[in-house]
């Protein structure tokens, strides 16, 4: 095979990427982990994690990410801050194009994760001026203020509950008449007298001059429109895969998530996917870690069989 820079390159340093790096480093592979921001991924902005095995009292997202990073680095994993611009997977050697250079690898694991979806109602105007996607980051700015939370899944409900530690009132706007979140989270939300549910409704606009002052909502059944006076708006309506660099290099589903088989291999031999970027029915830390373990071991087997 053509000489390559690395046995394995991993893109993304969330729980999936760090786990893959731990397995690859323990296997004594020549491996490089690329992360465009800081290691940890979305769990860095998760206040408290209660469903990850081994932490019965729970653990903060930051602390869990830091433990994963330290473990990986102590095993010898090299983590580099760099953004991947494109991939060339046409040959046996996988080419990863960065801003200042290109590197090659025998195998590749894509663990680039996903990002929050926008409402598309002008929230860009109020980013940093009332609009946020991260309660853990920004909730303290809204102490004793009124905020709007948009969404009905696990993240939306969990973060809305967290917001009540600071805000005096939280409107939770959901387009249906029941939540999609886990029952235990629903029970906690319904029992929290700081949360007011705005059912069958969607956010349609934002008001404010220097900063956010209100969120327009529309009831989908009655067509009634009103403005919820609020100092902040937190948005949790789903995620989009971080796959803009792929340029159709591997097969994806209609939403852009990477298709992979039971071994985490994509449509390109030797290229694997793990974590939130993958087409999967569940996106949790535990599933990302499981994906990554399979991907790393299968990447090792792929390289051995070259």
């Amino acid at each position: 095979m053509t000489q390559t820079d690395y046995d394995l390159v991993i893109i993304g340093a969330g729980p999936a990427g760090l786990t893959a790096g731990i397995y690859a480093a323990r296997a004594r592979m020549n491996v490089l982990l690329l992360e465009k921001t800081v290691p940890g991924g979305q769990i860095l902005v998760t206040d408290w994690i209660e469903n990850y095995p081994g932490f019965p009292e729970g653990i903060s997202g930051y602390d869990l990410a830091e433990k994963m990073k330290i473990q990986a680095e102590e095993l010898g994993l090299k983590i580099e801050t760099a953004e991947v611009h494109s991939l060339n997977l046409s040959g046996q050697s996988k080419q990863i194009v960065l801003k200042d250079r290109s590197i090659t690898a025998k195998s590749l694991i894509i663990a680039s994760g996903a990002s929050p979806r926008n409402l598309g109602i002008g929230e860009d105007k109020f980013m940093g001026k009332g609009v946020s996607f991260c309660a853990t980051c920004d909730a303290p700015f809204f102490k004793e203020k009124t905020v709007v939370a948009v969404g009905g899944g696990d993240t939306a409900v969990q973060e809305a509950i967290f917001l009540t530690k600071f805000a005096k009132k939280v409107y939770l706007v959901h387009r249906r008449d029941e939540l999609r979140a886990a029952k235990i989270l629903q029970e906690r939300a319904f029992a929290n007298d700081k949360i007011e549910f705005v059912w069958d409704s969607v956010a349609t606009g934002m008001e404010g001059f220097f900063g956010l002052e209100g969120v327009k909502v529309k009831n989908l059944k009655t067509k009634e429109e009103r403005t919820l006076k609020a100092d902040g708006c937190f948005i949790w309506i789903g995620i989009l895969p971080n796959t803009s660099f792929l340029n159709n290099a591997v097969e994806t589903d209609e939403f852009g998530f990477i298709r992979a088989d039971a071994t985490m291999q994509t449509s390109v031999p030797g290229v694997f996917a793990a974590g939130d970027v993958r087409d999967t029915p569940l996106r949790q830390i535990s599933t990302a870690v499981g994906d990554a373990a399979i991907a790393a071991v299968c990447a090792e087997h792929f390289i051995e069989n070259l």
Side-chain angles (χ1 to χ4, degrees):
M1 172 175 181
T2 305
Q3 183 68 31
T4 58
D5 298 312
Y6 298 94
D7 294 328
L8 174 66
V9 167
I10 303 166
I11 301 173
L18 289 169
T19 300
I22 288 170
Y23 272 72
R26 289 188 74 250
R28 298 296 184 262
M29 298 171 71
N30 179 17
V31 56
L32 174 66
L33 175 57
L34 300 171
E35 169 55 52
K36 69 178 181 179
T37 55
V38 293
Q42 287 196 78
I43 67 170
L44 285 175
V45 296
T46 301
D47 173 50
W48 200 249
I49 298 165
E50 296 180 315
N51 59 356
Y52 190 69
F55 298 93
E57 302 301 322
I59 184 172
S60 74
Y62 176 85
D63 286 343
L64 182 57
E66 187 66 12
K67 287 178 182 292
M68 290 180 172
K69 175 177 175 288
I70 290 171
Q71 183 178 357
E73 289 180 329
E74 287 181 346
L75 287 166
L77 177 67
K78 180 182 178 183
I79 302 175
E80 180 179 328
T81 302
E83 183 174 0
V84 176
H85 284 240
S86 62
L87 302 174
N88 183 350
L89 307 179
S90 58
Q92 192 175 37
S93 176
K94 320 303 179 189
Q95 184 182 38
I96 301 96
V97 180
L98 309 177
K99 180 179 180 180
D100 57 346
R101 71 190 196 283
S102 293
I103 57 177
T104 56
K106 298 174 184 177
S107 186
L108 177 66
I109 294 177
I110 303 171
S112 49
S115 299
R117 185 188 297 272
N118 287 332
L119 284 168
I121 58 170
E123 60 262 48
D124 289 349
K125 176 183 175 182
F126 296 103
M127 287 300 300
K129 299 176 182 179
V131 170
S132 175
F133 297 91
C134 174
T136 307
C137 309
D138 299 327
F141 295 116
F142 298 93
K143 189 173 182 179
E144 293 303 311
K145 295 183 178 181
T146 298
V147 299
V148 173
V150 183
D154 283 355
T155 299
V157 176
Q158 187 172 33
E159 296 291 74
I161 294 169
F162 177 72
L163 282 171
T164 63
K165 296 180 180 180
F166 301 90
K168 65 180 180 182
K169 184 181 185 65
V170 177
Y171 290 106
L172 183 55
V173 178
H174 185 44
R175 64 185 302 115
R176 299 179 180 87
D177 59 4
E178 61 181 4
L179 300 172
R180 294 180 288 106
K183 293 300 182 183
I184 189 171
L185 292 176
Q186 292 191 38
E187 291 168 4
R188 291 174 184 172
F190 293 142
N192 194 315
D193 58 10
K194 285 188 175 183
I195 299 177
E196 179 177 328
F197 296 89
V198 184
W199 301 111
D200 301 312
S201 299
V202 294
T204 58
M206 296 187 174
E207 298 178 346
F209 191 66
F210 293 110
L212 184 71
E213 297 174 7
V215 178
K216 296 179 181 179
V217 296
K218 179 179 181 179
N219 187 293
L220 296 174
K221 291 183 177 179
T222 66
K223 308 304 179 185
E224 177 190 358
E225 294 184 81
R226 60 173 170 146
T227 298
L228 302 175
K229 296 297 182 182
D231 306 287
C233 181
F234 290 78
I235 303 167
W236 301 291
I237 55 168
I239 58 172
L240 296 171
N242 297 326
T243 52
S244 60
F245 61 90
L246 286 181
N247 294 320
N248 300 315
V250 298
E251 183 182 347
T252 62
D253 67 10
E254 63 270 33
F255 304 108
F257 292 96
I258 299 173
R259 296 189 187 278
D261 62 18
T263 69
M264 302 301 140
Q265 183 164 272
T266 69
S267 56
V268 178
V271 178
F272 302 83
D276 286 1
V277 75
R278 188 172 75 85
D279 175 20
T280 175
L282 184 63
R283 292 183 172 86
Q284 294 282 296
I285 300 171
S286 54
T287 56
V289 166
D291 283 359
I294 295 171
V297 171
C298 291
E300 181 185 4
H301 292 167
F302 174 83
I303 293 168
E304 290 173 351
N305 292 328
L306 287 175

